[in-house]
Amino acid sequence: MIDILKKYWILILVGFLLRLAVAGFTFHPDIITPALTSAVFFREGTLNFYENSFKYAPGEVLDDLPLSYLIPLPIHLITRPFISDTTENLFFQDRSTIFGNPRLWGYLIYVKLPFILFDITLGIILALSFTEYKKRLLILWMFNPITLWATSAIGQLDIYPAFFIVLAYLLLKRDHLNWAALSLGAGGAIKSAPFLLLP
């Protein structure tokens, strides 16, 4: 992995910056739930997202499995000092008042950053999975408009199970069967699709 980072760091950096730009200037309702669970954890000090989320967004229903809400928390922990409670409150209560406001751009990046990091890492794992065409694979992944739209614009959590599926494939290729099974299980704890690969 270090070799790919050293050799293609410019390509990876450009892909990362492009994702940050897309994330900061796009909004989709799908990102409300990860923002909500982050607020519940950091402001209420509890992992009981399902019962406490109504305090911030009464109309929102958390309908995803817990692991999908737990994964972003370590990344949000690092970036949380850059987020104000005022911006977060406006995001939940009246988003229309902060559209066009640079504080919203920062908040959108904050919420989507875990998706972006998993997306970039997935591209690197794809390149590691093949002996040839590493640069082509990275270019295709980093500048794939579908990936950019789904992950950086909409904020689809499907990037998590996709990441664990590809990681399981790489681990399997390297004869780490137990770790591959664990990775596939982690993906299955978010969405059921990874279990289709068990056979």
Side-chain angles (χ1 to χ4, degrees):
M1 186 169 184
I2 301 297
D3 291 340
I4 286 183
L5 290 173
K6 283 181 179 178
K7 194 171 183 180
Y8 304 114
W9 69 270
I10 293 179
L11 184 59
I12 294 166
L13 179 63
V14 170
F16 178 68
L17 294 175
L18 177 61
R19 280 159 174 75
L20 289 183
V22 171
F25 291 105
T26 54
F27 168 79
H28 190 276
D30 281 1
I31 66 157
I32 296 173
T33 52
L36 191 52
T37 54
S38 179
V40 168
F41 178 73
F42 291 109
R43 295 172 72 172
E44 300 292 324
T46 179
L47 291 173
N48 192 350
F49 310 122
Y50 302 96
E51 284 188 17
N52 291 279
S53 63
F54 72 92
K55 296 178 184 178
Y56 300 97
E60 293 298 323
V61 177
L62 301 180
D63 56 359
D64 291 309
L65 294 172
L67 186 58
S68 63
Y69 299 135
L70 294 172
I71 287 174
L73 294 181
I75 298 165
H76 284 168
L77 176 64
I78 296 167
T79 54
R80 187 75 188 177
F82 301 102
I83 300 304
S84 74
D85 289 351
T86 306
T87 304
E88 191 165 62
N89 289 338
L90 282 171
F91 177 80
F92 291 127
Q93 294 160 14
D94 191 7
R95 283 178 290 281
S96 63
T97 62
I98 52 171
F99 279 120
N101 185 329
R103 288 188 302 168
L104 175 65
W105 304 339
Y107 189 76
L108 290 171
I109 290 170
Y110 162 80
V111 175
K112 296 176 186 178
L113 188 60
F115 301 126
I116 292 169
L117 293 176
F118 270 76
D119 185 13
I120 293 286
T121 310
L122 196 158
I124 294 168
I125 291 172
L126 273 173
L128 285 170
S129 299
F130 294 89
T131 52
E132 297 179 354
Y133 310 115
K134 293 181 186 294
K135 186 175 183 180
R136 289 183 189 178
L137 277 167
L138 275 174
I139 290 170
L140 282 172
W141 188 262
M142 294 299 166
F143 303 104
N144 180 343
I146 296 170
T147 305
L148 282 167
W149 179 253
T151 305
S152 302
I154 295 178
Q156 287 282 335
L157 61 84
D158 297 83
I159 192 66
Y160 298 147
F163 168 85
F164 287 116
I165 288 170
V166 176
L167 179 60
Y169 172 74
L170 176 65
L171 291 167
L172 200 58
K173 278 191 72 172
R174 296 188 175 183
D175 294 323
H176 300 298
L177 184 59
N178 291 336
W179 288 108
L182 183 64
S183 181
L184 211 55
I190 300 166
K191 295 267 185 173
S192 57
F195 291 136
L196 298 174
L197 300 176
L198 281 175

